[in-house]
């Protein structure tokens, strides 16, 4: 995670976390629309990245011990920073 609040949006995984959280709070019609967009973005992200074969321990769970979502365990440009 970034040291300044606005900088976290430079990390694709952090932004995708925010979108996933937002998705769950939306009313049904908006949730469906955002879901379509997220599926397309996820497909493109999977196409442009590789699964991390042996991710570090901090890529499996968050600070509370809950499993992190799949996009935290992908390899992409610049050591975790995507440059699309």
């Amino acid at each position: 995670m970034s040291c300044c609040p606005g900088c976290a949006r430079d990390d694709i995984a952090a932004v995708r976390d925010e979108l996933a959280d937002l998705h769950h709070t939306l009313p049904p019609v908006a949730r469906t629309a955002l879901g379509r967009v997220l599926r397309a973005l996820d497909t493109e992200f999977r196409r442009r990245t590789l699964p991390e074969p042996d991710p570090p321990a901090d890529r499996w769970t968050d600070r509370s011990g809950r499993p992190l979502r799949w996009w935290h365990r992908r390899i992409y440009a610049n050591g975790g920073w995507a440059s699309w």
Side-chain angles (χ1 to χ4, degrees):
M1 193 55 75
S2 180
C3 60
C4 62
C7 298
R9 290 193 172 81
D10 289 337
D11 182 349
I12 296 293
V15 172
R16 185 60 180 84
D17 283 338
E18 290 180 24
L19 289 170
D21 293 342
L22 174 66
H23 180 258
H24 294 294
T25 66
L26 294 172
V29 173
R31 187 179 323 129
T32 299
L34 181 57
R36 279 190 219 108
V37 171
L38 291 177
R39 279 190 294 283
L41 290 172
D42 288 347
T43 298
E44 184 66 11
F45 188 64
R46 283 186 178 105
R47 188 184 73 75
R48 292 180 180 222
T49 62
L50 297 169
E52 192 165 359
D54 188 22
D58 66 340
R59 296 259 177 106
W60 285 108
T61 60
D62 64 13
R63 290 182 183 149
S64 68
R66 289 179 299 186
L68 290 173
R69 295 171 173 128
W70 64 267
W71 50 82
H72 287 273
R73 294 182 300 276
R74 302 294 290 185
I75 299 171
Y76 43 103
N78 302 322
W81 301 92
S83 56
W84 301 6

